[in-house]
Amino acid sequence: MNSHRVAEEICLLTPSPIRLTDAAGTQVRCLQGTIWITVASEPDDVFLRAGQSYLIRRNGLCLVEQIGDSSIQLDRRQAGGWFDGLIRCLKFVPAR
């Protein structure tokens, strides 16, 4: 079985959360600032500071939101699905 690792650094510019579904197996790493993560059916929210990471273990809705200026890295073993769509969306957002 071929396993490809896909990682993308994302600078969060707006206070709107990133919505992920079917994200089990995705590692969220906080590169700068503070990140708030909430995953459906998980009893607690997660707060990450620069250098910390969190592995999403369940599918379902996951929200990743910044607190202040922040950047994250999303790391997933296989490309496809929500990951490809998110990356296309973020890369082609027109500058304001």
Side-chain angles (χ1 to χ4, degrees):
M1 177 178 171
N2 290 336
S3 179
H4 296 47
R5 185 174 174 179
V6 179
E8 187 73 32
E9 182 177 340
I10 300 167
C11 293
L12 303 173
L13 301 175
T14 64
S16 300
I18 294 175
R19 298 173 54 92
L20 306 175
T21 57
D22 301 323
T26 300
Q27 180 107 13
V28 180
R29 180 177 314 278
C30 181
L31 301 175
Q32 175 186 333
T34 303
I35 302 298
W36 169 42
I37 302 171
T38 186
V39 181
S41 301
E42 289 287 328
D44 298 314
D45 290 348
V46 176
F47 293 88
L48 302 178
R49 293 181 187 214
Q52 296 179 318
S53 62
Y54 176 73
L55 178 65
I56 300 170
R57 292 183 172 84
R58 297 176 187 235
N59 283 324
L61 180 60
C62 173
L63 300 176
V64 180
E65 189 167 357
Q66 71 179 9
I67 299 174
D69 292 333
S70 304
S71 63
I72 61 172
Q73 178 179 330
L74 297 177
D75 189 354
R76 186 171 169 114
R77 284 279 174 212
Q78 292 284 350
W82 70 265
F83 194 88
D84 284 349
L86 173 67
I87 299 311
R88 275 193 307 276
C89 176
L90 291 172
K91 285 186 176 179
F92 297 110
V93 172
R96 294 180 185 188

